Amino acid sequence: MVTLDGIYADTLTSINGCDSVITTTLTVNAAIDTLVLAQICTGATYFLPDGSPAPGPGLYTDTLTTAAGCDSIITIDLSVVAVINASVNTSICSGQSYTLPGGGVLTLDGIYADTLTSINGCDSVITTTLTVNAAIDTLVLAQICTGAIYFLPDGSPAPGPGLYTDTLTTAAGCDSIVTTDLSVVAVINASVSATICSGQSYTLPGGGVVSLDGIYSDTLTSINGCDSVITTTLTVNAAIDTLVVVQICTGASYFLPDGSPAPGPGIYTDTLTTAAGCDSIITIDLSVVAVINASVNTSICSGQSYTLPGGGVVTLDGIYADTLTSINGCDSVITTTLTVNAAIDTLVLAQICTGATYFLPDGSPAPGPGIYTDTLTTAAGCDSIITIDLSVVAVINANVNATICSGQSYTLPGGGVVSLDGIYSDTLTSVNGCDSVITTTLTVNAAIDTLVVVQICTGASYFLPDGSPAPGPGIYTDTLTTAAGCDSIITIDLSVVAVINASVSDTICSGQSYTLPGGTVVSLDGIYSDTLTSVNGCDSVITTTLTLVGPTAQFTLTAPLNTNDMNAWFLNSSTGAVAYVWDLGDGTSSTSAHPSHTYSEPLGGTITVCLIAISAQQCTDTACATITIENNALHVPNAFTPDGDRINDGFLPVFASTPPEDYLFAIFDRWGQVIFETTDTTSAWNGLFMEGTEVPQGVYVWKIFAGSKVPGEDQDLTGHVTLIR
């Protein structure tokens, strides 16, 4: 047994007795021990090589297995970089501008926050409190008398009236502009028009007291020391005395000039004040006009009309009230009681036998059969019309149709009794003594037997032909009597229809509405019950279980973007969706569940990526995220082709300035295993495993640590590279 590198030879004897020499070349693969210095920002999550999130800053050790089956120990030294918060207080003059740390240019007071990205990629918040000192602009109104001198703010005498501007400097270093509006006052001439009431007095500007109309002149000295001549025109207003005569209707209210209601008729005096402030005496002479009530009793004949006092035309009995307006504007009520005397219209049916004479109401004999009309006058003066319908009776022939029930008998007009169908004739003497022949057609009705099929709803009652309620489904028989008096046997076949209960389950998207079977529109999930009427008139209860469905859109970027690595891989963690639409923020889109995308350089700043998740029911939800692209001081390619053509055969970071002294460059496969590592800034990865075999075409993770002599400027970067063969 050996444990060291070397070439070992063994001579064995084969099965046929010959020597067999086996030479073994043994290589001992050393365990790989890697130190990774990692920094994250406060609030960020760092995933260890085994895929678990680190609970906080500290040293973490993971033991992995290399492609050769040996241990690979990775030590992660994880530190958390705190957010930097700084405050700046500054001021500018009005009209100036101030540039914030984030580059924004301001001209207004306020507190402004800039979130910058520090050299280690974490947020740095700078709060600027900006004060804008306003320029002081002052207007001075100055007056001098003719011949006086005025000195301006700069000490110089003003040459005459006009506008003068001086610019001074405030203690804060801002402009203070003083504008002097200088005027020269000569003698001031003013006119005053004044009024007083009769009996009052007026004090003039010079102090004199007057009480008569006139024009008065006073010469005063103004506040600025110049002469002022005031001419006063005084008017004396006489008192106003007014009489108002007023009438109101009974029940109406009258409000006096002072706004109070008058308690009744009488004379009221109010003293008011005119617009000029003098007394105005108003005397109100108030009287109340009573309502006029009158009654009229009258009558008309049927068919005539009557015109009421208010102009209405009526033709029916009744009591009618008309409210008219009298000459003084008050109501006048006239009540008319109208009686309509009906015309008397009488019909007399008269019969005589052939050869007899009939005398009409006016006493004349009727010349023969016919209709005769006589018009008479009633005591009320209305027409009374008598109509005589005279007929001459010869032999009377009459037909009688009669029915009996089977088994009954019928008595004919002549007294004969029969029980069979047939036509029977009887000759009788009528009440007026004339012959009367009656022909009887007798019908014998058989008993009626009827079957009725009836359905009722559960819980309903059915009343049988005899009026009693049926106790339940079944066959019931009732014997009734027809209109002809015969038996009618009705058989009822009664059945009960059960209530129909149905259940419906359906889904809608959040925000949509759903119309229930009963027509109600709902938008919330729940269980709804509708009671409808089926085709047979019974209740049909439909229970609808409504469920709101919809996807939840969410995603993450698997690694941050920077100007060295513009390849983005999006991890879609949406739920309840079957299709996706991505807006990748640069004018491109994708329908892949987990899309990858390479952004064009240079981009910088931020991009907004949105995901629309679509469920099987075509419901949608949208999630958006803003991604910050970090700017780095080195350039890292995003793909290379190690095919031996000496063009892009190696993957190597390129520094924009002097390479760092402290440097670590590593490549990881998708399981987090290290497949290449170097501290030499000129050493490129050639697409091979550490033991020299080719890695397959695909996407690999790279990590770079570039230390700096300047504290806080170390770079710890991560990205992706695509290996193409």
Side-chain angles (χ1 to χ4, degrees):
M1 179 177 293
V2 292
T3 60
L4 300 175
D5 284 341
I7 300 174
Y8 301 90
D10 287 290
T11 303
L12 306 176
T13 303
S14 66
I15 194 169
N16 53 20
C18 298
D19 287 340
S20 174
V21 179
I22 300 175
T23 301
T24 302
T25 302
L26 178 64
T27 302
V28 178
N29 292 321
I32 301 172
D33 198 344
T34 305
L35 172 65
V36 177
L37 299 177
Q39 283 185 327
I40 60 173
C41 302
T42 300
T45 302
Y46 184 82
F47 291 91
L48 300 172
D50 63 0
S52 65
L59 290 172
Y60 300 90
T61 302
D62 278 317
T63 302
L64 307 177
T65 302
T66 66
C70 300
D71 287 343
S72 173
I73 301 172
I74 300 178
T75 301
I76 308 296
D77 185 357
L78 178 63
S79 60
V80 177
V81 179
V83 174
I84 300 170
N85 287 287
S87 297
V88 175
N89 291 307
T90 188
S91 64
I92 60 173
C93 296
S94 176
Q96 295 179 340
S97 62
Y98 180 79
T99 302
L100 295 173
V105 177
L106 306 172
T107 59
L108 300 178
D109 281 339
I111 299 174
Y112 303 90
D114 285 293
T115 301
L116 308 179
T117 302
S118 63
I119 194 168
N120 51 29
C122 299
D123 287 343
S124 173
V125 180
I126 300 176
T127 302
T128 302
T129 301
L130 180 62
T131 302
V132 179
N133 294 317
I136 301 174
D137 201 341
T138 306
L139 174 63
V140 177
L141 299 176
Q143 284 184 331
I144 60 174
C145 298
T146 303
I149 298 174
Y150 183 83
F151 291 93
L152 299 173
D154 62 359
S156 63
L163 289 172
Y164 299 92
T165 301
D166 284 301
T167 302
L168 309 177
T169 302
T170 65
C174 298
D175 288 343
S176 173
I177 301 171
V178 180
T179 302
T180 303
D181 186 355
L182 178 63
S183 59
V184 177
V185 179
V187 174
I188 299 172
N189 287 288
S191 294
V192 175
S193 293
T195 59
I196 60 173
C197 298
S198 178
Q200 294 179 341
S201 62
Y202 180 79
T203 301
L204 298 171
V209 177
V210 293
S211 59
L212 300 177
D213 285 339
I215 299 173
Y216 303 90
S217 178
D218 288 289
T219 301
L220 307 176
T221 300
S222 65
I223 195 168
N224 50 28
C226 302
D227 285 342
S228 175
V229 179
I230 302 176
T231 300
T232 302
T233 301
L234 180 64
T235 303
V236 178
N237 291 323
I240 300 172
D241 199 343
T242 306
L243 172 65
V244 178
V245 177
V246 178
Q247 283 185 327
I248 60 172
C249 300
T250 300
S253 297
Y254 181 79
F255 291 91
L256 300 172
D258 63 359
S260 64
I267 296 175
Y268 300 90
T269 300
D270 276 316
T271 301
L272 306 178
T273 301
T274 65
C278 300
D279 287 344
S280 173
I281 301 171
I282 300 178
T283 301
I284 308 295
D285 184 357
L286 178 64
S287 60
V288 179
V289 179
V291 174
I292 299 172
N293 288 288
S295 297
V296 175
N297 292 306
T298 188
S299 65
I300 59 173
C301 295
S302 177
Q304 294 178 341
S305 62
Y306 180 79
T307 301
L308 298 172
V313 177
V314 294
T315 59
L316 301 177
D317 283 341
I319 298 173
Y320 301 91
D322 286 292
T323 301
L324 307 179
T325 301
S326 64
I327 192 169
N328 52 24
C330 298
D331 288 344
S332 174
V333 181
I334 300 176
T335 303
T336 302
T337 302
L338 179 65
T339 303
V340 179
N341 295 315
I344 301 173
D345 200 343
T346 306
L347 174 64
V348 177
L349 299 175
Q351 284 184 331
I352 59 174
C353 295
T354 302
T357 301
Y358 183 84
F359 291 92
L360 299 173
D362 62 0
S364 63
I371 296 175
Y372 301 90
T373 301
D374 279 319
T375 301
L376 307 178
T377 301
T378 66
C382 297
D383 289 343
S384 174
I385 301 171
I386 300 177
T387 301
I388 306 297
D389 186 355
L390 178 63
S391 60
V392 176
V393 179
V395 174
I396 299 174
N397 288 288
N399 292 312
V400 175
N401 292 310
T403 58
I404 59 173
C405 299
S406 177
Q408 294 179 343
S409 61
Y410 181 78
T411 301
L412 297 172
V417 177
V418 293
S419 59
L420 299 177
D421 284 339
I423 298 173
Y424 303 90
S425 180
D426 287 288
T427 301
L428 306 176
T429 300
S430 66
V431 72
N432 51 26
C434 302
D435 286 341
S436 173
V437 178
I438 300 176
T439 301
T440 303
T441 301
L442 181 64
T443 302
V444 179
N445 292 323
I448 300 172
D449 200 341
T450 306
L451 172 64
V452 179
V453 178
V454 177
Q455 284 185 329
I456 62 173
C457 302
T458 301
S461 297
Y462 181 78
F463 291 90
L464 300 172
D466 63 359
S468 64
I475 296 175
Y476 301 89
T477 301
D478 276 317
T479 301
L480 306 177
T481 302
T482 66
C486 301
D487 286 344
S488 172
I489 301 172
I490 300 179
T491 301
I492 308 295
D493 184 355
L494 178 64
S495 60
V496 178
V497 178
V499 174
I500 300 172
N501 288 287
S503 296
V504 175
S505 294
D506 211 342
T507 60
I508 61 172
C509 300
S510 178
Q512 293 182 340
S513 60
Y514 182 85
T515 302
L516 298 173
T520 303
V521 178
V522 296
S523 59
L524 300 177
D525 55 6
I527 299 174
Y528 300 91
S529 180
D530 286 290
T531 301
L532 308 178
T533 302
S534 64
V535 69
N536 52 27
C538 299
D539 286 345
S540 174
V541 180
I542 301 178
T543 302
T544 302
T545 301
L546 186 62
T547 304
L548 295 182
V549 297
T552 300
Q554 55 187 4
F555 68 93
T556 55
L557 182 67
T558 58
L561 293 179
N562 57 69
T563 54
N564 296 323
D565 184 4
M566 299 297 289
N567 294 311
W569 279 264
F570 296 98
L571 178 61
N572 187 346
S573 55
S574 301
T575 59
V578 297
Y580 309 94
V581 177
W582 294 80
D583 179 357
L584 298 176
D586 62 349
T588 60
S589 61
S590 175
T591 57
S592 172
H594 306 280
S596 61
H597 183 62
T598 299
Y599 290 92
S600 299
E601 294 186 72
L603 193 60
T606 61
I607 57 173
T608 299
V609 177
C610 292
L611 166 63
I612 301 174
I614 306 170
S615 69
Q617 297 83 11
Q618 296 302 301
C619 301
T620 63
D621 187 38
T622 301
C624 295
T626 300
I627 300 170
T628 300
I629 300 173
E630 301 174 356
N631 292 314
N632 296 314
L634 60 87
H635 175 73
V636 183
N638 56 21
F640 74 112
T641 56
D643 53 9
D645 63 354
R646 298 185 179 182
I647 300 174
N648 200 24
D649 280 341
F651 174 52
L652 177 67
V654 178
F655 288 89
S657 57
T658 304
E661 295 180 0
D662 188 5
Y663 172 75
L664 176 64
F665 175 38
I667 306 295
F668 300 84
D669 62 15
R670 68 179 61 186
W671 296 278
Q673 294 183 348
V674 178
I675 59 176
F676 174 78
E677 188 175 56
T678 183
T679 58
D680 183 358
T681 58
T682 63
S683 177
W685 180 42
N686 58 4
L688 302 178
F689 286 108
M690 289 185 181
E691 67 273 15
T693 60
E694 290 186 349
V695 302
Q697 178 173 300
V699 178
Y700 297 87
V701 177
W702 57 261
K703 292 187 178 181
I704 298 173
F705 175 77
S708 174
K709 294 180 179 180
V710 179
E713 293 190 2
D714 292 347
Q715 295 190 67
D716 194 354
L717 307 175
T718 302
H720 301 83
V721 63
T722 302
L723 187 152
I724 304 172
R725 294 193 181 276

